Amino acid sequence: MAVTLSSMPPASSIFSMYASISASIMLLHTIINQLLPRPAQHFILSLLRRYFSPRPSHATVVIEERDGMSSNEIYSAAETYLCSHLRPDFHRLKVSKRHKDPSLSIRFAKCEKILDSHLGVPLQWRFINEERKKNNKIIDEDSDNVLVESEKRYFELSFDKEFRDTVLDSYIPSILERAKIIRAQKKAVKLHTLACPASYSSSFIWDSINLEHPSTFETLAMEPELKTRIKEDLDRFVRRKDFYRRVGRAWKRGYLLYGPPGTGKSSLIAAMANYLKFDIYDLELTNVKRDSDLRKLLLRTANRSILVIEDIDCTVELPDRKGAAAAEGGNGHFHRPRDHQFTLSGLLNFIDGLWSSCGDERIIIFTTNNKSKLDPALLRPGRMDMHIHMSYLTPDGFRLLAATYLNIHGHHPRLSEIEHLIKMKNITPAEVAEELMKCDDADLSLNEVLNFLKTKSNKEDDTKIISDKDMEDGAAKDQVTAHDCDF
């Protein structure tokens, strides 16, 4: 229906209505000011603004570098993922490289924006680096190091708020998984060792360097069947996360490497670390004074790591499980109470007790030159699941050494005589490897090995053969019982 000028109210009526409304508003404002206290007035105004103001269509998730004293795993994953999406048009980047690192490390330097998408949802990342007015000193829970923070770093992830569930339930978990893959591809295996306690704390600190040991399963002078069994056991262990959880066991595996010195126990550990890309934590038990120290050390080792305790039979004098060493000694002196010392019971709980479940994908390796000296409690399944006998050099092992050191892959006139002598002697791979390194010429080097074998004394062979036979019998038994079955 058309509206004509004659149907509109006169101007006087409009002005009269406007004046009446204005007067009512002024009266209401006066009443509110007089009757309501100031806080109540602010509350009512905030409700009106919230109701009538347009609601933002975007949401923002803030991901800070640290969560209190602990590092934020999501921040680290986001940094790893986003650094793989850096564009050449960025104005400022932070570039670094550690000694022998395979590539440069590129990080954000100042505020930058990165666009991304997930399942069709547009996303915007923003890196923010703010300087603090006052430096903060905190103790890192993961390493016990004192950190001086002069900057606050965090990411802001912005997106349309209607996709909030998609971002939190799908996108961020995918960032964690992709960051894990990127780290695995670039991972440099680390060797961790105990540092001296800092002056501000009695807690232990793990120091680390890149593991430069080149040992692999291909270069180990071991029987091919044994190497295959070890690799299959490692592969089965890392893929059975759901199995360990289903049967209610901690996701860990124990290995005992035993045999004479120089048979390649350390080289096997390095080969296992390089094969799995697991860091190594070398634990000297002589540095451990109390059972509580073991628990702290375990909590400060990362997942996907190998904890190594070498020469368990001679590195430390272990009290018995009843704490006998804590009692009064033969000379009349009183030793430390049981709860203030390192005991065998503490070591056993460290291996398979409640504290051993604090972490995933962990391997514990003990080495010893004399298995018979170990307490049987250390050797049972669940603590040392697989016993690996590192024997003297065999003809097959020597052929591998000859191929590795001298590039001899076929027949050589000296090989048969050398292999015959190796069967008759108790020779370690380390001894023969040392002879192979003395000369670059293959013929001269094999002559050196042959002369060494001929002059090798056999005066201790009888005792060694007996000991070796006992270890071989034990190894044969272990090979049958060491593996848990696939389900």
Side-chain angles (χ1 to χ4, degrees):
M1 182 174 60
V3 178
T4 61
L5 292 176
S6 60
S7 63
M8 294 181 63
S12 59
S13 299
I14 295 177
F15 285 123
S16 177
M17 185 183 301
Y18 174 75
S20 176
I21 294 175
S22 299
S24 300
I25 293 175
M26 291 297 294
L27 179 61
L28 179 62
H29 184 264
T30 302
I31 293 174
I32 291 176
N33 287 335
Q34 292 179 353
L35 298 180
L36 294 179
R38 184 70 61 180
Q41 297 178 32
H42 288 307
F43 176 74
I44 293 175
L45 290 176
S46 64
L47 289 179
L48 293 175
R49 292 193 189 99
R50 185 181 305 175
Y51 182 79
F52 290 105
S53 62
R55 296 185 179 181
S57 60
H58 280 73
T60 300
V61 173
V62 178
I63 305 172
E64 296 185 350
E65 183 179 17
R66 305 193 64 80
D67 181 14
M69 292 187 297
S70 301
S71 58
N72 187 350
E73 182 182 356
I74 300 178
Y75 176 92
S76 178
E79 184 179 42
T80 300
Y81 170 73
L82 295 175
C83 284
S84 65
H85 291 67
L86 292 176
R87 302 191 307 270
D89 59 344
F90 282 177
H91 299 293
R92 292 175 64 89
L93 294 174
K94 184 186 298 183
V95 180
S96 61
K97 184 179 184 300
R98 294 183 178 180
H99 181 58
K100 293 187 178 181
D101 276 354
S103 60
L104 298 177
S105 176
I106 302 177
R107 294 289 184 267
F108 299 97
K110 290 295 181 181
C111 300
E112 295 286 356
K113 292 182 180 180
I114 295 181
L115 300 180
D116 198 12
S117 63
H118 177 74
L119 300 179
V121 179
L123 303 155
Q124 177 180 283
W125 288 90
R126 186 166 175 251
F127 172 73
I128 301 175
N129 187 1
E130 297 178 349
E131 293 187 3
R132 297 181 183 270
K133 295 181 179 179
K134 182 180 180 180
N135 292 348
N136 288 351
K137 291 185 179 181
I138 62 174
I139 298 179
D140 187 2
E141 287 182 343
D142 300 326
S143 63
D144 267 6
N145 292 332
V146 174
L147 305 178
V148 180
E149 289 192 330
S150 59
E151 298 175 321
K152 180 181 180 181
R153 293 174 290 269
Y154 58 94
F155 288 104
E156 286 186 349
L157 174 60
S158 300
F159 49 89
D160 195 307
K161 65 178 182 180
E162 67 174 297
F163 301 110
R164 175 180 175 274
D165 292 340
T166 301
V167 171
L168 297 181
D169 298 337
S170 176
Y171 180 60
I172 291 182
S174 72
I175 293 293
L176 293 170
E177 288 299 321
R178 279 182 274 185
K180 182 178 179 180
I181 295 174
I182 294 172
R183 292 194 193 105
Q185 294 172 344
K186 297 182 178 180
K187 179 177 176 61
V189 178
K190 299 287 185 180
L191 174 61
H192 301 259
T193 186
L194 284 180
C196 295
S199 59
Y200 62 86
S201 173
S202 60
S203 300
F204 291 107
I205 301 173
W206 290 105
D207 277 345
S208 66
I209 59 174
N210 286 350
L211 178 67
E212 303 294 343
H213 203 299
S215 177
T216 63
F217 280 103
E218 288 70 27
T219 61
L220 283 176
M222 294 176 60
E223 294 299 309
E225 296 81 5
L226 181 56
K227 287 194 288 187
T228 300
R229 287 183 52 244
I230 295 173
K231 288 196 293 184
E232 289 176 349
D233 191 76
L234 293 173
D235 291 336
R236 178 167 52 248
F237 167 72
V238 297
R239 70 169 181 259
R240 300 177 81 188
K241 178 179 180 179
D242 294 335
F243 170 79
Y244 277 87
R245 182 175 298 175
R246 177 167 57 85
V247 300
R249 293 186 58 179
W251 192 13
K252 66 178 183 63
R253 188 80 171 153
Y255 294 87
L256 174 68
L257 311 185
Y258 66 99
T263 51
K265 292 186 283 293
S266 297
S267 296
L268 175 58
I269 294 171
M272 294 168 73
N274 289 327
Y275 181 72
L276 296 175
K277 294 295 184 181
F278 278 20
D279 286 352
I280 295 178
Y281 289 82
D282 184 21
L283 176 59
E284 287 283 349
L285 289 183
T286 53
N287 294 328
V288 180
K289 305 303 181 185
R290 297 175 298 273
D291 291 344
S292 59
D293 293 336
L294 274 175
R295 294 193 290 269
K296 293 177 182 178
L297 290 170
L298 179 65
L299 292 175
R300 293 186 180 95
T301 58
N303 294 336
R304 298 179 58 84
S305 62
I306 299 175
L307 179 67
V308 178
I309 303 177
E310 294 194 89
D311 299 323
I312 182 62
D313 57 313
C314 57
T315 54
V316 67
E317 193 71 26
L318 286 175
D320 62 29
R321 276 162 284 179
K322 298 180 180 180
E328 184 176 325
N331 55 3
H333 294 291
F334 183 75
H335 295 271
R336 289 175 297 176
R338 183 182 180 188
D339 58 344
H340 293 294
Q341 69 166 1
F342 173 43
T343 64
L344 177 58
S345 176
L347 180 61
L348 298 179
N349 289 329
F350 173 77
I351 298 172
D352 70 344
L354 292 177
W355 289 97
S356 67
S357 62
C358 299
D360 285 335
E361 258 180 308
R362 285 197 176 123
I363 291 175
I364 301 176
I365 298 180
F366 283 175
T367 72
T368 180
N369 296 332
N370 195 333
K371 180 181 176 182
S372 61
K373 290 184 177 180
L374 300 183
D375 190 299
L378 281 171
L379 304 179
R380 71 166 178 79
R383 288 169 180 160
M384 295 296 105
D385 303 293
M386 185 175 184
H387 301 179
I388 302 174
H389 176 224
M390 308 296 292
S391 64
Y392 291 108
L393 187 64
T394 64
D396 287 338
F398 173 73
R399 286 187 175 272
L400 179 58
L401 289 178
T404 302
Y405 284 79
L406 303 178
N407 201 27
I408 297 177
H409 297 278
H411 176 73
H412 192 280
R414 296 291 190 187
L415 290 182
S416 297
E417 186 177 1
I418 292 175
E419 291 173 4
H420 175 72
L421 290 173
I422 286 176
K423 293 178 181 178
M424 306 297 294
K425 306 276 185 176
N426 288 334
I427 304 296
T428 66
E431 291 176 312
V432 174
E434 181 63 26
E435 297 298 323
L436 293 174
M437 293 179 66
K438 291 182 177 179
C439 184
D440 293 332
D441 183 84
D443 293 332
L444 294 178
S445 183
L446 291 180
N447 285 333
E448 292 289 336
V449 173
L450 188 58
N451 293 332
F452 169 75
L453 293 174
K454 289 179 178 179
T455 57
K456 174 71 174 177
S457 173
N458 266 354
K459 62 182 179 180
E460 297 179 356
D461 277 357
D462 292 340
T463 57
K464 287 184 178 180
I465 289 174
I466 293 174
S467 176
D468 198 32
K469 184 179 186 304
D470 292 340
M471 288 189 289
E472 287 177 354
D473 292 341
K477 182 180 178 182
D478 292 333
Q479 288 173 4
V480 176
T481 61
H483 294 88
D484 37 356
C485 300
D486 261 326
F487 290 88

